Amino acid sequence: MTPAEHAQLALLLEVAGTPKPGNVDRDRDFPDLRFEHFLAGAVGSGSGMRSAEAGIPVGEAFEEAIAGMSQQSGGNTQFGALCLLVPLVKASATDACSPDGVTAVVENTTVEDATGFYRAFDHVNVFVDDPPEGADEFDARRGSDAIPAIRDAGITLYDVMELGADEDDIAREWTSGFERTFEAGERIVELDGSLSGRGARVYLELLSREPDTFVAKQHGKKTAESVRVRAQEALQEVRQGNSELVHAFSDSLVEDGINPGTTADIVAGGLFVALERGVRP
Amino acid sequence: MTPAEHAQLALLLEVAGTPKPGNVDRDRDFPDLRFEHFLAGAVGSGSGMRSAEAGIPVGEAFEEAIAGMSQQSGGNTQFGALCLLVPLVKASATDACSPDGVTAVVENTTVEDATGFYRAFDHVNVFVDDPPEGADEFDARRGSDAIPAIRDAGITLYDVMELGADEDDIAREWTSGFERTFEAGERIVELDGSLSGRGARVYLELLSREPDTFVAKQHGKKTAESVRVRAQEALQEVRQGNSELVHAFSDSLVEDGINPGTTADIVAGGLFVALERGVRP
């Protein structure tokens, strides 16, 4: 398979993994956000990923992927995952699926790439936190309305991610050589069993190590830390072959409307890395 | 979405529908054939469907789709569904997604298309019945070894399907204006709820009306007829809001190794038709 196909399959394997506490998975739909919205999002984003593979600039390919992803009624399904996958696909197609390869791609992004990223917000409603102090004019929620300010300031897409890296784990991947993404990928290669099952396991491992920044933005840092601790407890039980606690944890997150979406995005990136390493269903 | 994207999404929605007695679905894996093999099959077959959309001849696009589908370790996941989808995509891209449109496509297939179809059997192990009497040299199980005989006899892909139409419901779709496929599509448009759920409902409706020819080939016509009757009983219960019997029916088919695969293929075709009619997740 090509890198773009691996990326599409990674999106599908990610959502098929279960249990993934707090997220839509093979066994869980939400009332307005269902498994099949993720299937449609993965199909629709395919052309953007093929563009990235073919050498189209990151921002333009990303906007195409998001426009394609948004052709379903569930809303934002895979925005964060595509933030990781588009540069990973480009790196894999031109150079290498490695921290250095993808860092070269993201560091070479331009002001034009930043405009593509902002235009992507016109296609779908994405939950984004307030911008850092003094950066109101670059608020991603403004979508393409922010483009004149971006152009005036000469800000590249990498600069945009640097601005967000303190508070957003997807942005931090961009500025850290996709550290957690590659770690997740190596871990998926190492595990046994179905790929979607490995994804679900790594989801829990990631969640037990660092608070999810999407949860922190929506519910505060205290809640995100408490989710991390509970994930750690659930993981300990899972390691002893007992899955009761992880299911209870999952139900409780859903009840409280807590959705560790960033962690799921990193798992999608990790599944891509594992597929590029030759693991296959 | 384009016709090729609709076809890919149709494959995914089909396998995500549950319960689909006897088949892999969102809630059911077999030991060696899992949900994620179907996800990979849908991703891998995408390029063949894009070729069909771009005007590549049916046989060549079909072989490309099957080669792509086969890049996973589960074996044959969607061969029959792709037999329906490739001409449907081509018809939708060039003419119309209609019985007349797709009939024009299949009736115009050539000897070259037949050779592509036979080459597709080189990529994956497909369960095929004995050929009709006197047609041993055209046995599809011979794969590309049968091509010289096909060329000598000047047999088109439509001719190949006509040879099989008495015993194989996929072949019969080719020679009947894709009658059951379009009926399934209209029914999916008419139903409410999630698209994968509608697909599962139509699967049961189809299975209750006609014996599945894949079951007939593997287990005999008597078994196929008994499966039909039991599907009818399960459907009656489902109509009264009781899903116990359909789950018991499903477990019993799995226990007996009975897999109504042709009916699932027709549902995939029907989901494609519904997506082309504007229904979307």
Side-chain angles (χ1 to χ4, degrees):
Chain A
M1 285 194 183
T2 67
E5 289 174 321
H6 281 160
Q8 195 173 43
L9 183 54
L11 291 175
L12 293 168
L13 292 170
E14 188 284 312
V15 75
T18 189
K20 274 197 340 283
N23 281 288
V24 170
D25 67 23
R26 187 169 170 185
D27 288 340
R28 170 97 57 190
D29 282 328
F30 296 146
D32 298 321
L33 182 62
R34 295 191 306 271
F35 190 70
E36 64 185 42
H37 294 131
F38 286 79
L39 302 182
V43 170
S45 61
S47 74
M49 293 194 284
R50 289 191 292 279
S51 291
E53 183 178 280
I56 300 288
V58 170
E60 193 181 333
F62 180 72
E63 190 203 346
E64 185 183 353
I66 297 303
M69 177 205 83
S70 306
Q71 300 169 88
Q72 36 78 28
S73 62
N76 178 19
T77 46
Q78 291 124 332
F79 193 96
L82 290 165
C83 273
L84 301 177
L85 289 170
V86 168
L88 283 168
V89 165
K90 198 175 172 75
S92 305
T94 55
D95 180 3
C97 180
S98 67
D100 286 350
V102 73
T103 297
V105 167
V106 298
E107 285 185 351
N108 282 320
T109 56
T110 62
V111 175
E112 276 314 298
D113 289 318
T115 69
F117 180 75
Y118 276 79
R119 272 193 301 273
F121 284 86
D122 295 345
H123 298 289
V124 64
N125 201 357
V126 181
F127 186 89
V128 179
D129 209 3
D130 292 330
E133 220 179 291
D136 282 353
E137 54 186 350
F138 309 134
D139 189 344
R141 290 170 296 197
R142 298 181 62 210
S144 52
D145 289 344
I147 289 178
I150 293 289
R151 282 202 205 283
D152 281 354
I155 288 180
T156 71
L157 183 48
Y158 188 83
D159 296 334
V160 171
M161 294 295 179
E162 266 195 322
L163 275 171
D166 281 349
E167 301 292 336
D168 182 307
D169 270 355
I170 301 298
R172 200 183 306 152
E173 286 299 284
W174 271 55
T175 60
S176 71
F178 287 58
E179 190 179 345
R180 296 179 80 205
T181 301
F182 281 100
E183 273 177 24
E186 304 306 341
R187 181 75 182 124
I188 290 166
V189 170
E190 194 179 285
L191 288 166
D192 286 323
S194 74
L195 274 178
S196 46
R198 300 186 212 184
R201 174 62 175 265
V202 169
Y203 171 85
L204 201 58
E205 293 179 356
L206 289 169
L207 197 58
S208 74
R209 279 208 296 269
E210 282 186 43
D212 185 280
T213 51
F214 188 70
V215 174
K217 282 184 226 170
Q218 288 200 308
H219 304 274
K221 289 191 179 175
K222 237 179 177 163
T223 302
E225 171 60 15
S226 139
V227 167
R228 186 197 69 72
V229 172
R230 291 168 70 201
Q232 202 171 26
E233 290 162 359
L235 178 62
Q236 272 163 2
E237 291 290 309
V238 166
R239 283 197 176 124
Q240 284 159 24
N242 181 359
S243 61
E244 221 168 290
L245 189 61
V246 71
H247 287 290
F249 175 46
S250 182
D251 291 343
S252 131
L253 288 187
V254 171
E255 212 164 286
D256 296 339
I258 294 174
N259 156 233
T262 303
T263 305
D265 295 336
I266 292 175
V267 170
L271 283 161
F272 172 81
V273 170
L275 290 166
E276 284 286 315
R277 299 283 180 267
V279 174
R280 66 189 54 235
Chain B
M1 285 194 183
T2 68
E5 288 174 322
H6 282 160
Q8 194 173 44
L9 183 53
L11 291 175
L12 293 169
L13 292 169
E14 189 283 313
V15 75
T18 189
K20 275 196 341 281
N23 281 289
V24 170
D25 66 24
R26 186 168 170 185
D27 288 341
R28 171 97 58 191
D29 283 327
F30 296 144
D32 298 321
L33 183 61
R34 296 190 306 269
F35 190 70
E36 65 184 42
H37 295 132
F38 286 80
L39 302 181
V43 170
S45 62
S47 74
M49 295 194 282
R50 289 191 292 279
S51 291
E53 183 178 280
I56 300 288
V58 170
E60 193 181 333
F62 180 73
E63 191 204 346
E64 186 183 353
I66 298 301
M69 175 204 84
S70 306
Q71 299 169 91
Q72 35 77 29
S73 62
N76 177 19
T77 46
Q78 293 125 330
F79 192 97
L82 291 165
C83 273
L84 301 177
L85 288 170
V86 167
L88 283 167
V89 165
K90 197 176 172 74
S92 305
T94 56
D95 179 4
C97 181
S98 67
D100 286 351
V102 73
T103 297
V105 167
V106 296
E107 285 185 351
N108 282 320
T109 55
T110 62
V111 175
E112 276 313 298
D113 289 317
T115 68
F117 179 75
Y118 275 79
R119 271 194 301 273
F121 284 87
D122 295 345
H123 298 289
V124 63
N125 201 358
V126 182
F127 186 90
V128 179
D129 209 3
D130 292 330
E133 219 179 291
D136 282 353
E137 53 186 349
F138 309 134
D139 188 343
R141 290 169 296 196
R142 298 182 62 211
S144 52
D145 289 344
I147 289 177
I150 293 289
R151 283 202 205 282
D152 281 353
I155 287 180
T156 71
L157 183 47
Y158 187 82
D159 296 334
V160 172
M161 294 295 181
E162 264 194 324
L163 275 172
D166 281 348
E167 303 292 336
D168 183 307
D169 270 356
I170 301 298
R172 201 185 303 153
E173 286 300 284
W174 271 56
T175 61
S176 71
F178 288 57
E179 189 179 345
R180 297 179 80 204
T181 301
F182 281 100
E183 274 176 24
E186 304 306 341
R187 182 76 183 123
I188 290 166
V189 170
E190 194 179 285
L191 287 167
D192 287 322
S194 74
L195 274 177
S196 47
R198 300 187 212 184
R201 174 60 175 264
V202 169
Y203 171 86
L204 200 58
E205 293 179 357
L206 289 169
L207 198 58
S208 75
R209 278 209 297 270
E210 283 186 44
D212 185 279
T213 52
F214 187 70
V215 174
K217 280 185 228 170
Q218 287 200 308
H219 304 274
K221 290 190 177 173
K222 237 177 175 162
T223 301
E225 171 58 15
S226 139
V227 167
R228 186 197 69 73
V229 171
R230 291 168 71 200
Q232 202 171 26
E233 290 162 359
L235 178 62
Q236 273 165 3
E237 291 289 308
V238 166
R239 284 197 175 122
Q240 285 159 25
N242 182 357
S243 62
E244 220 168 291
L245 189 60
V246 71
H247 286 290
F249 175 46
S250 181
D251 290 343
S252 131
L253 289 187
V254 172
E255 212 165 286
D256 296 340
I258 294 174
N259 157 234
T262 303
T263 305
D265 295 336
I266 293 176
V267 170
L271 282 161
F272 172 82
V273 170
L275 291 166
E276 284 287 314
R277 299 283 180 269
V279 174
R280 69 186 54 234

